[in-house]
């Protein structure tokens, strides 16, 4: 999967810009063009902000419209990105942010949407919360999310991309873009599969539990070795681990232990005997992440999961 065009929604705030340095660690000017956009609702377009002009008496004030502020941000960022070699386009739109982002993404055939995920915007709206949530759940392209609270890694070259899998086609939808990012940067892909040997509330003798755990673990290892071979054929180095317990806890623990540069995950579907609820997963991952997330929408017919191994789980959104 090639990332030829990336959409970056902005809102006039510095917080919204913070996704850019995170994103630039994974893309290059020769492969990707950038599309910056800001969406102003009809009410915000008509409102003006009054700002004191430095060096002038406080009684003299300059009325700066939010549209002017948004245009200045788009211009300034475009100039900075042009200086490091990126081809950049920009759009200033009228409309609700989430709807505008999704519509522009479809109209311009973008391959990736990159957004910051925390903070109230300078234009008076929260960019993350309802907006990012709607974009993640509805966008066709993958969504690169960078929580504003995390710092950009000191190393300019990413080293590790964490890729949780559960053996289903849904989760495997994340493999192509993880592979592409690894090829772009030389990063290692860290594969993880989390197993849950037993149904909740189902009790077995200790010796049977142990045998069941071994069987599930062996299946998981065989599966990850197959994925590892596929990555090797694409000249991508990888390693794997099979963890036991809660998928979210295992992902967060591995992310911290490996100091991951990026987590790539599928965003839809079922996992084993339970469906992991979008809201709780988002809160736990974003609330504990030390790196950006790349969320890939996987669409698989429901019947695919009817015969899946219900003892294996992975995290999914929406």
């Amino acid at each position: 999967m090639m990332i030829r065009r990336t959409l970056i929604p902005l809102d006039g705030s510095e917080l919204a810009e913070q996704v850019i340095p995170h994103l630039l660690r994974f893309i290059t000017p020769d492969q990707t063009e950038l599309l910056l956009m800001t969406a102003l609702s009809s009410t915000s377009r008509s409102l003006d902000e009054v700002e004191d002009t430095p060096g002038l008496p406080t009684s003299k004030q300059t009325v700066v419209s939010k549209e002017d502020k948004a245009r200045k941000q788009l211009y300034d960022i475009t100039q900075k990105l042009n200086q490091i070699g990126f081809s950049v386009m920009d759009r200033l739109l009228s409309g609700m942010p989430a709807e505008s982002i999704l519509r522009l993404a479809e109209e311009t055939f973008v391959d990736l949407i990159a957004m910051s995920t925390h903070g109230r915007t300078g234009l008076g709206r929260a960019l993350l919360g309802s907006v990012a949530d709607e974009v993640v759940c509805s966008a066709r392209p993958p969504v690169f999310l960078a929580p504003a609270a995390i710092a950009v890694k000191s190393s300019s070259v990413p080293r590790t991309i964490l890729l949780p899998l559960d053996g289903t086609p849904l989760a495997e939808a994340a493999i192509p873009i993880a592979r592409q990012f690894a090829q772009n940067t030389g990063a290692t892909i860290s594969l993880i599969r989390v197993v849950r040997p037993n149904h909740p509330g189902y009790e077995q003798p200790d010796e049977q539990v142990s045998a069941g755990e071994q069987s599930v673990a062996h299946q998981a290892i065989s599966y990850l070795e197959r994925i590892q071979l596929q990555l090797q054929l694409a000249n991508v180095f990888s390693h794997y681990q099979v963890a036991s317990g809660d998928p979210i806890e295992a992902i967060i623990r591995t992310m911290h232990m490996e100091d991951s540069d990026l987590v790539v995950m599928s965003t839809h579907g079922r996992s084993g005997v339970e469906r992991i609820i979008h809201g709780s997963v988002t809160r736990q991952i974003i609330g504990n992440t030390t790196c950006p997330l790349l969320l890939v929408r996987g669409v698989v017919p429901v019947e695919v999961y009817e015969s899946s191994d219900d003892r294996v789980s992975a995290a999914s959104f929406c």
Side-chain angles (χ1 to χ4, degrees), residues 36-242:
L36 310 180
M37 64 87 69
T38 297
L40 300 177
S41 67
S42 57
T43 53
S44 66
R45 285 176 64 93
S46 63
L47 296 177
D48 290 334
E49 292 178 336
V50 178
E51 299 181 350
D52 290 337
T53 303
L56 295 178
T58 56
S59 59
K60 293 185 178 181
Q61 297 175 322
T62 302
V63 177
V64 180
S65 72
K66 293 184 178 181
E67 181 174 341
D68 290 340
K69 185 175 182 179
R71 288 189 186 281
K72 184 178 186 305
Q73 184 188 45
L74 291 172
Y75 176 81
D76 290 345
I77 296 176
T78 295
Q79 294 303 305
K80 292 177 182 178
L81 292 170
N82 284 158
Q83 290 175 4
I84 58 175
F86 280 96
S87 173
V88 184
M89 300 180 293
D90 64 70
R91 298 284 190 276
L92 182 60
L93 306 176
S94 176
M96 301 304 292
E99 295 174 3
S100 299
I101 293 167
L102 294 169
R103 183 173 62 252
L104 185 61
E106 289 298 320
E107 291 175 350
T108 57
F109 303 100
V110 302
D111 303 297
L112 183 70
I113 300 173
M115 303 176 65
S116 293
T117 62
H118 279 304
R120 183 163 295 279
T121 74
L123 300 179
R125 293 187 61 88
L127 181 59
L128 187 80
S130 60
V131 175
D133 186 74
E134 185 173 346
V135 171
V136 167
C137 287
S138 302
R140 174 192 56 81
V143 180
F144 182 98
L145 293 178
I150 66 174
V152 180
K153 301 280 186 180
S154 57
S155 171
S156 60
V157 179
R159 294 175 298 178
T160 305
I161 296 173
L162 181 61
L163 177 60
L165 296 171
D166 66 359
T168 65
L170 169 83
E172 292 176 9
I175 294 176
I177 194 167
R179 181 177 62 233
Q180 183 63 54
F181 272 42
Q183 290 172 332
N184 289 349
T185 62
T188 295
I189 292 182
S190 175
L191 303 168
I192 179 172
R193 184 166 178 178
V194 185
V195 298
R196 285 179 168 176
N198 300 308
H199 295 276
Y202 182 69
E203 297 183 358
Q204 289 179 305
D206 290 343
E207 62 273 11
Q208 293 183 18
V209 171
S210 177
E213 289 177 349
Q214 291 180 8
S215 175
V216 172
H218 288 158
Q219 292 177 30
I221 290 171
S222 297
Y223 169 75
L224 293 177
E225 287 178 342
R226 177 172 62 82
I227 301 299
Q228 186 178 43
L229 177 59
Q230 294 175 2
L231 293 172
Q232 182 180 349
L233 294 174
N235 296 316
V236 173
F237 183 75
S238 65
H239 59 255
Y240 67 82
Q241 66 166 302
V242 175

Side-chain angles (χ1 to χ4, degrees), residues 222-292:
S222 297
Y223 169 75
L224 293 177
E225 287 178 342
R226 177 172 62 82
I227 301 299
Q228 186 178 43
L229 177 59
Q230 294 175 2
L231 293 172
Q232 182 180 349
L233 294 174
N235 296 316
V236 173
F237 183 75
S238 65
H239 59 255
Y240 67 82
Q241 66 166 302
V242 175
S244 179
D246 179 78
I248 304 303
E249 292 179 0
I251 292 168
I252 292 172
R253 182 171 60 250
T254 302
M255 181 198 314
H256 284 267
M257 289 178 58
E258 296 188 348
D259 193 23
S260 301
D261 293 277
L262 181 68
V263 178
V264 184
M265 302 176 66
S266 174
T267 62
H268 285 67
R270 297 177 179 176
S271 178
V273 298
E274 63 183 16
R275 185 181 182 91
I276 301 177
I277 304 302
H278 163 64
S280 63
V281 173
T282 302
R283 284 192 297 272
Q284 291 183 67
I285 296 292
I286 291 182
N288 292 276
T289 188
T290 57
C291 65

